[in-house]
Amino acid sequence: MADVYRWRLAPDGLATRRQLRALGLRPGGQDVVAEVHRPRRRRGPLVAYLYRVDRAKPVRPMTQARAAALAAAMRARRTCPNCLTEMGYCIPRSLGMCVPCHDTPPPWKDTTS
């Protein structure tokens, strides 16, 4: 069982994933060593998992292949499957298509009634 600390009371040498990333590090396969609990009034506490900074490894460098794969994935998220136009934003998953396609009624639907 990992140690549990209250909010802002974790000892030095432990960090969350985001804090590690800001330092240019990653957990590197190590297990969670502690948790920080932030209490809330009407719900369960927020939990953050902590890792040891001294066991963290450097972030892997971005290669050309990884950059190309990331660019292709983001391009796919911005391309409307309906009109095949690349939009300047990620297509909302709730709509499944770009906003102009969603707002345009289909041609077979009668809008005069």
Side-chain angles (χ1 to χ4, degrees):
M1 174 78 183
D3 294 334
V4 178
Y5 299 101
R6 288 189 51 86
W7 188 249
R8 298 185 187 265
L9 296 178
D12 292 336
L14 300 180
T16 63
R17 283 183 179 267
R18 286 188 180 201
Q19 291 169 336
L20 288 176
R21 189 62 174 205
L23 297 171
L25 301 171
R26 62 186 169 96
Q30 65 174 305
D31 292 331
V32 173
V33 295
E35 295 178 0
V36 174
H37 287 212
R38 180 178 177 201
R40 297 191 289 182
R41 289 183 187 264
R42 293 189 174 97
R43 292 182 276 175
L46 291 174
V47 178
Y49 300 109
L50 300 174
Y51 302 91
R52 289 182 49 174
V53 176
D54 60 343
R55 288 189 186 170
K57 296 180 181 177
V59 175
R60 295 184 187 117
M62 181 66 71
T63 62
Q64 286 183 344
R66 287 179 69 192
L70 182 59
M74 291 307 293
R75 192 179 322 88
R77 288 185 64 190
R78 290 190 306 265
T79 303
C80 176
N82 198 23
C83 64
L84 301 177
T85 304
E86 187 175 340
M87 306 307 285
Y89 55 88
C90 289
I91 304 298
R93 291 178 59 194
S94 61
L95 301 180
M97 60 185 74
C98 66
V99 176
C101 287
H102 182 264
D103 291 344
T104 305
W108 63 85
K109 193 168 186 176
D110 186 14
T111 58
T112 58
S113 359

